[in-house]
Amino acid sequence: MTSSTRKNTSGRAGDGAAVFLVDEVVGGNGGVGEPARAARADAYDRWLRGLLPRRPGVALIAVGGLGRRQCAPHGDLDLVLLHAGVPGVDELAASVWYPVWDAGLRLDHSVRTVAEALSVAQDDVKVALGLLDARLVAGDAALADTLVRTAADHWRRTAVRQLPALREITAARWAAHGELAFLLEGDLKEAAGGLRDVGILRAIATAGITDALRPAVRAAHLRLLDTRDALHRQVGRRVDRLVAQERDGVAALLGLRHLPPGAADVAQHPAGAGDVPQPPPAAADGSRRAATPGTVGDGDALLRRVAGDARTVSHALDDAFRAADRLRSGRRRGADGRPLRRPVARDVVEHDGELVLARTAIGARPDPSLSLRVAAAAAVTRLPIARATCEWLAAYCPPLSAPWPAEARAALITLLGAGPGLVPAWETCDRYGLIEGWLPEWTRLRSLPQHNPVHRFTLDRHLVQTAYEAGRHTRDVDRPDLLLLGALLHDVGKGLPGDHSTVGAPLAEAVAARIGLPAPEVALIGTLVRLHLLLPDVATRRDLADPVTIAGVAERVGDPTTLDLLHALVRADAAATGPAAWSDWKGRLVAELVTRVRTALDTGVLPDPPAPDPALLAGPLPVVHLTGERVAVAAADRRGLLATVAGCLALHRLEVLSADASTVDGRALVECRVQPRYGLAPDPIALGADLRRAVNGDVSVTQRLRGRALAARSGGAAPRVVWHREAATDAVLLELRAADAAGLLYRVACALDEAGAQVRAARISTLGGDVVDAFYLVGGWPDDATRARLEAAVLAAV
């Protein structure tokens, strides 16, 4: 079909009707909910019937949202002018299309005979799916019925053959738009688990392959439609991406206000129709609005609801595609002609490509560890669990005792360490409510958004993904079982008031005790959760050459076993978070910290700080060395060298990751680790020339530095200064927390220099749009008034 929009330039007589239509559809019927969508469809139908002259052999067919009578407030129209070879059909089509364009509506349109429409459907699976929604709006009912019946019959006969092509197209769409359940700003239509996937489920159900549109899927579909309606109404135009700034408004239109923890998660798994949370009651006009005008909606509750609905749709589509695969390939049968059953674990067999319970397990009294053993078998074999098996386990598997039996504990560790099979097996169990039987805390964690942009997953998926990533490091530690369990629980405190590491430690210990770990291992799980951010925080914010830094970490960690577990957990956590959470530079810093702390723990002796680069101590001044990510400068001993170097680097769009300043034999030395701010490395010749000129006091370079840096100042939340008095051997630590901006280090270094502070080292840590910059200031700075003056100078520079 051809999609197009046109401005009203024709001056046609139908303009008044078009204005009335838009007012009726977007205004009076612009509400949220199924009655409002039906009212919009009725309004479009009445208007379109008046546009088509009565002629035999011509029918106006609606497909898409209008064909399904699911019209969004600002949706487009999908129309087919069907004809039986009548003359003058182009002029007839124009009499319909132009008023639609004049109304300012987007239009997907085509003019075809029945044979042409069916021919296109045979070659294009998307067109075939579209014709399944075809509905007569006006004209020849017999002609329309021929198309609708023939298209549906053709799809039923060819669906199994066409589904592989549809699956390939769907996978490409998922790759482009991501998974709706895990996105902070997902596309409600195109992302995996969105409205487009419900259309595929409807097509598979029409083909009779499986009952794809189960009650839970229908309920999820209606809620996603309601969300899109509210989004259109909130924004005032057609948009399918649920962006952050619109979430609270959309939530208010849906009646989603702040709910108790877990209330948004009530039974979002497809075990049956009765466990599906119902939308807010509809108003008289069919819309669903917040109870109180002006109420601010709970955007997080909306995200959690969308995530749960998207997961329901995705899981149903995976199930439907598997059913189609089995139908296409046929069942594997033994010599006796019966379907093959292969034992894969105790009480678990493979049947027709899925895992089901052995007949003896169903007949006997269920073992409380059975659901965990089935999940572990699914993860290890990478085979899906049959839907009937999941439903049986949810209904009949008894709860686990506290502490767990050893068999259940072993099954959980097997599940967590299964590798690529972990995530799909866990997700399946979560959809059927099995996870809450193992971990009651999961209700609070499910689909919880993480608003830091470095995170790519919701909290629950992040925890499972971390366990998967931890499986890559199990051979690096003495206790792989505790690594896997610590990875699953490391962020269990998120969503509660306070620091999530501190809050989460006792929660994780309670889970470990319930699982049946002995007291020392329970305490170690608590330590892993409490300290899981220690290594990256210290590595990126503290001077690793300072003995106080190493001694402090060694004291908190306590022993090499815990140190190795924390190192593995850090790498798994970063990999599960997203690409922005880790870098080769951060990995090297953490590894260096671990090596130094292990030396201290093994020998009791703190390692010596690294010696300055000998190349900086020889030859005429200034000395400038540029090697990859390292910039080193030596100059005559003078104040302000760090600020000058930082300014030059900012001028060449380089971010400073760490900086060390010292004075040796009358030479001022500055060594920096840098990375390009925008991904492109600067010209080393130009950078070296500017560094030499600036170090020698060239005023023109200084003016360029100040102009560029001052122009780059950033707004945001108020900056803050935190003092750490005992974090260094020979210095006091000033920590600046502020919004990130180019030239920030230059401005702060200038302010410190002008205030008389000598910077021995600086560590720059960027967290999304914020930074935590640590400056080691030589001397004790014990006087409150002096510290206040220095703090004011730093804040003024930001």
Side-chain angles (χ1 to χ4, degrees), residues 1 201 301 425 458 559 569 672:
M1 298 178 74
L201 285 170
T458 52
D559 60 79
L569 178 55
C672 299

Side-chain angles (χ1 to χ4, degrees), residues 731-757:
V732 64
L733 191 65
L734 182 152
E735 194 173 76
L736 171 65
R737 303 172 184 177
D740 188 20
L744 179 62
L745 176 59
Y746 167 63
R747 296 197 303 273
V748 174
C750 285
L752 291 172
D753 181 59
E754 292 169 1

